[in-house]
Amino acid sequence: MTQAVGIARAHTNIALIKYWGKRDQELFLPMNSSLSLTLDAFYTDTKVIFDDTYTADSFSLNGKEQSEKEIQKISRFLDLFREYIGEGRFARVESLNFVPTAAGLASSASAFAALALASADALKLNMTPQELSTFARRGSGSSTRSLFGGFVQWDMGTGSADSMAYPIDDADWDIGMLVLAVDTKEKKIASRVGMEHTVQTSPFYPAWLETTKEDLSAIKTAILAKDFETLGQITEHNGMKMHATTLSANPPFTYWTADSLLAQEAVRQVREDLHLQVYMTMDAGPNVKVLCRASDMERLVQALSAYLPAEKIIKSLPGPAASILSQEDWQASHQKFSERI
Amino acid sequence: MTQAVGIARAHTNIALIKYWGKRDQELFLPMNSSLSLTLDAFYTDTKVIFDDTYTADSFSLNGKEQSEKEIQKISRFLDLFREYIGEGRFARVESLNFVPTAAGLASSASAFAALALASADALKLNMTPQELSTFARRGSGSSTRSLFGGFVQWDMGTGSADSMAYPIDDADWDIGMLVLAVDTKEKKIASRVGMEHTVQTSPFYPAWLETTKEDLSAIKTAILAKDFETLGQITEHNGMKMHATTLSANPPFTYWTADSLLAQEAVRQVREDLHLQVYMTMDAGPNVKVLCRASDMERLVQALSAYLPAEKIIKSLPGPAASILSQEDWQASHQKFSERI
């Protein structure tokens, strides 16, 4: 019996300059370069075992065996690695998602980043993290950014080989994020479907692409200058522009719910009352993310608690790059997961 | 004593192709041509008396004397007529707004249309309704459309003299509108301020203008063909695009509240459940307007009542052109107004 085992942890990330639209559906090549902040509070731990004796791939998530449909997604992703090394061994994948239950955040970014790193480690692939990010990308576009910590850019590239992510800054300068997890129901319109409909029908999409290019350049300048106000303003503007493209699609649609608006109004009110630098962004779902100073987080949570249930407000600091875990780490992770349920 | 008296009624209108941005702030020249539906359920009755013995303008609205600030707005508007005829007589203006209290709809469209027609009648101006609409425009852009009934176009024109409205179709073909008056608080951002901020800062604004030109052409074709589905689809798309421009402004803003989203979700649910042709539009405020078949209104109101308080749902048929009222009409109007309070 030959067995190859890899274990890895990757954190989720929130885009400040959004990825919204693919130029290649198959290869997950984006229409624009994007930039994110990796979050400490949300991560996925994944163990992958390639074994000669297995007769099929299998996949367990949070201790539950997954459906054939979910396994197929994993299998297609593992095929990239199997093709790369020219070996067809089946694999067992076990994942634990460390996402507060109330958050209901999409975990595909951390999931595919962790699986990519675990697979590369198991198969002893000699890849740079950048190269590996081109693999992660094929599982879920945004997972390409979850291989790195702090502020991360995903370069749109010219093709599959150079559409990769790299770290911009470790975000170790009084940066925090609150996730206002107002609604954890599954979204009605998958981001894949929403972005494609937008690309195809929104008359505002060309201006979105054009100005997002400018936003990316400006936010990198702000990050390097540690100019938090400009960083935040660009973040809020870029995110709202993304949501404007869904309203301008034909027929129009929105990821916002009444609870999203209540959360937005709460943030605006608190921003006005406390004179704090807080900036909102939203993704393809109803939750509101708030970029803020880490040193302001406690005051913010307290003020926002007047408007939202406290358990819906989740704090995070910037997170680190994806990392290899030992077997002991994995056992500790299992222990931690079982305790939190 | 020389006295000149005019009394008129004008109905409010809801834009299906939105007016959103001025190219001339002083002359109220719009950035684009727009198209509206005049509503039967909401109107303003106004009496104006020009009198040699008056020593100042005065203005009473719904039986209440108005502040100096409100009087100044009226005075500046009356100056247009006084300059036109070369006479400086002061005037007394009395207006009654027939807008269901729950609706909280901006009444400036019907208000300035009624005042324009009353003034022209009092001063025996020999003007076509189109010419008069260029005067109404100077009080409030959208009032230019309230001089006419049914579907009305406001042509952006090349200057003040030809930026005027004209009727397109009397809308006498199974057309109705529901106003979901979810929030009647005064809006935080006046439409004048919101549109100017959008024109100046939204990167999507040029595409808004370009595609609104196409929408206007297409909706007129649909109206003439009595193609309700296309009419509705263009209405919903154009209105959402307008709101997309506010999200893309810098800093971004929105006229939507949580209640707006609840109303939108109710309309989407009812549309899906009943398979009815209903289309939403929104203006510079939180209320949702629903374009529908007049023959479907009862069923719609009943279905929407499961989601919204029934008193927030106001039905209207298409309304007629502005008209001159007699002294007897005016007395009847007063009587009706006093009874409704």
Side-chain angles (χ1 to χ4, degrees), chain A residues 6-76:
Chain A
I7 314 174
R9 169 175 299 176
H11 291 75
T12 196
N13 70 82
I14 302 295
L16 309 184
I17 303 296
K18 302 296 184 190
Y19 152 52
W20 191 239
K22 296 181 182 71
R23 67 183 196 275
D24 186 314
Q25 306 291 328
E26 180 65 29
L27 294 173
F28 286 76
L29 296 178
M31 294 290 275
N32 62 280
S33 300
S34 53
L35 185 141
S36 60
L37 178 65
T38 297
L39 294 191
D40 192 53
F42 311 89
Y43 59 91
T44 302
D45 286 353
T46 290
K47 178 180 192 175
V48 59
I49 308 162
F50 292 91
D51 190 312
D52 284 341
T53 68
Y54 293 162
T55 56
D57 291 330
S58 65
F59 174 36
S60 133
L61 175 62
N62 298 341
K64 286 184 198 122
E65 293 304 318
Q66 298 296 295
S67 70
E68 196 51 44
K69 192 182 155 203
E70 293 304 313
I71 295 171
Q72 271 180 20
K73 243 187 263 178
I74 296 292
S75 291
R76 272 197 303 270

Side-chain angles (χ1 to χ4, degrees), chain B residues 41-224:
Chain B
F42 310 89
Y43 59 91
T44 302
D45 286 352
T46 291
K47 180 181 192 173
V48 59
I49 307 163
F50 292 91
D51 191 311
D52 282 343
T53 66
Y54 292 163
T55 56
D57 291 329
S58 65
F59 174 35
S60 132
L61 175 62
N62 298 340
K64 285 183 198 124
E65 294 303 319
Q66 298 297 295
S67 71
E68 196 53 43
K69 192 182 156 204
E70 292 304 312
I71 295 171
Q72 271 179 18
K73 244 187 261 177
I74 296 292
S75 291
R76 273 198 300 271
F77 186 67
L78 292 175
D79 285 344
L80 300 172
F81 293 87
R82 292 188 277 232
E83 284 161 15
Y84 184 77
I85 60 165
E87 272 187 31
R89 278 185 293 177
F90 289 112
R92 164 78 180 158
V93 175
E94 294 177 14
S95 280
L96 298 175
N97 252 336
F98 288 85
V99 175
T101 313
L105 289 182
S107 52
S108 66
S110 55
F112 282 103
L115 182 56
L117 183 55
S119 300
D121 189 48
L123 302 172
K124 309 287 175 233
L125 302 186
N126 193 17
M127 277 186 187
T128 63
Q130 272 74 27
E131 278 181 274
L132 188 57
S133 77
T134 67
F135 278 70
R137 195 196 70 232
R138 305 281 293 275
S140 156
S142 56
S143 73
T144 193
R145 297 182 307 239
S146 273
L147 285 169
F148 304 96
F151 293 111
V152 181
Q153 177 169 336
W154 170 16
D155 210 278
M156 62 184 289
T158 59
S160 189
D162 66 347
S163 184
M164 54 175 57
Y166 49 90
I168 295 290
D169 180 275
D170 63 9
D172 191 19
W173 44 286
D174 201 11
I175 301 282
M177 188 169 269
L178 299 179
V179 175
L180 309 182
V182 294
D183 193 336
T184 59
K185 288 195 295 286
E186 206 180 338
K187 54 197 171 196
K188 283 180 199 153
I189 303 164
S191 57
R192 181 183 56 75
V193 175
M195 64 172 71
E196 197 175 342
H197 177 64
T198 302
V199 171
Q200 288 174 356
T201 67
S202 166
F204 295 176
Y205 194 76
W208 153 259
L209 279 187
E210 195 51 49
T211 58
T212 291
K213 212 183 291 175
E214 297 161 14
D215 292 346
L216 178 64
S217 168
I219 207 169
K220 280 160 67 178
T221 303
I223 289 169
L224 297 181

Side-chain angles (χ1 to χ4, degrees), chain A residues 211 237 240 244 247-249 256 258 261, chain B residues 203 237 240 244 247-249 256 261:
Chain A
T211 58
H237 189 212
M240 292 291 178
L247 289 188
S248 62
W256 295 7
L261 261 292
Chain B
H237 189 212
M240 293 291 178
L247 288 189
S248 62
W256 295 8
L261 261 292

Side-chain angles (χ1 to χ4, degrees), chain A residues 31 47 50 72 90 105 136 153 179 219 238 296 327 330:
Chain A
M31 294 290 275
K47 178 180 192 175
F50 292 91
Q72 271 180 20
F90 290 112
L105 289 182
Q153 176 168 338
V179 175
I219 207 169
N238 187 268
D296 288 335
Q327 185 59 37
W330 179 247

Side-chain angles (χ1 to χ4, degrees), chain B residues 244-257:
Chain B
T245 68
T246 76
L247 288 189
S248 62
N250 194 13
F253 69 105
T254 182
Y255 287 103
W256 295 8
T257 65

Side-chain angles (χ1 to χ4, degrees), chain A residues 9-257:
Chain A
R9 169 175 299 176
H11 291 75
T12 196
N13 70 82
I14 302 295
L16 309 184
I17 303 296
K18 302 296 184 190
Y19 152 52
W20 191 239
K22 296 181 182 71
R23 67 183 196 275
D24 186 314
Q25 306 291 328
E26 180 65 29
L27 294 173
F28 286 76
L29 296 178
M31 294 290 275
N32 62 280
S33 300
S34 53
L35 185 141
S36 60
L37 178 65
T38 297
L39 294 191
D40 192 53
F42 311 89
Y43 59 91
T44 302
D45 286 353
T46 290
K47 178 180 192 175
V48 59
I49 308 162
F50 292 91
D51 190 312
D52 284 341
T53 68
Y54 293 162
T55 56
D57 291 330
S58 65
F59 174 36
S60 133
L61 175 62
N62 298 341
K64 286 184 198 122
E65 293 304 318
Q66 298 296 295
S67 70
E68 196 51 44
K69 192 182 155 203
E70 293 304 313
I71 295 171
Q72 271 180 20
K73 243 187 263 178
I74 296 292
S75 291
R76 272 197 303 270
F77 185 69
L78 292 175
D79 284 345
L80 300 172
F81 293 87
R82 291 187 277 231
E83 285 161 15
Y84 185 78
I85 59 163
E87 272 187 32
R89 278 186 294 177
F90 290 112
R92 163 79 181 159
V93 175
E94 293 176 16
S95 280
L96 298 174
N97 252 337
F98 288 85
V99 175
T101 312
L105 289 182
S107 52
S108 64
S110 54
F112 282 104
L115 182 55
L117 183 55
S119 300
D121 189 49
L123 301 172
K124 310 286 174 237
L125 302 186
N126 193 14
M127 278 186 187
T128 64
Q130 272 75 26
E131 278 181 273
L132 188 57
S133 77
T134 68
F135 278 70
R137 194 196 71 230
R138 304 282 293 275
S140 157
S142 56
S143 74
T144 193
R145 296 183 306 240
S146 272
L147 284 169
F148 304 95
F151 294 112
V152 180
Q153 176 168 338
W154 171 15
D155 211 277
M156 63 184 289
T158 60
S160 188
D162 65 348
S163 184
M164 55 176 56
Y166 49 90
I168 295 290
D169 181 276
D170 64 8
D172 192 20
W173 43 285
D174 200 10
I175 301 281
M177 187 169 270
L178 299 180
V179 175
L180 309 182
V182 294
D183 192 337
T184 58
K185 287 195 294 286
E186 206 180 338
K187 54 197 172 198
K188 285 181 200 154
I189 303 164
S191 57
R192 182 184 56 76
V193 175
M195 63 172 71
E196 197 175 343
H197 177 64
T198 301
V199 170
Q200 287 174 357
T201 67
S202 167
F204 295 176
Y205 194 77
W208 154 260
L209 279 187
E210 195 51 49
T211 58
T212 291
K213 212 182 292 176
E214 297 160 16
D215 292 346
L216 178 65
S217 167
I219 207 169
K220 279 160 66 177
T221 303
I223 289 169
L224 297 182
K226 298 195 177 6
D227 175 353
F228 185 73
E229 187 175 359
T230 302
L231 165 66
Q233 286 169 346
I234 296 170
T235 294
E236 186 159 315
H237 189 212
N238 187 268
M240 292 291 178
K241 280 193 292 185
M242 178 199 125
H243 288 272
T245 67
T246 77
L247 289 188
S248 62
N250 193 14
F253 69 105
T254 183
Y255 286 103
W256 295 7
T257 64

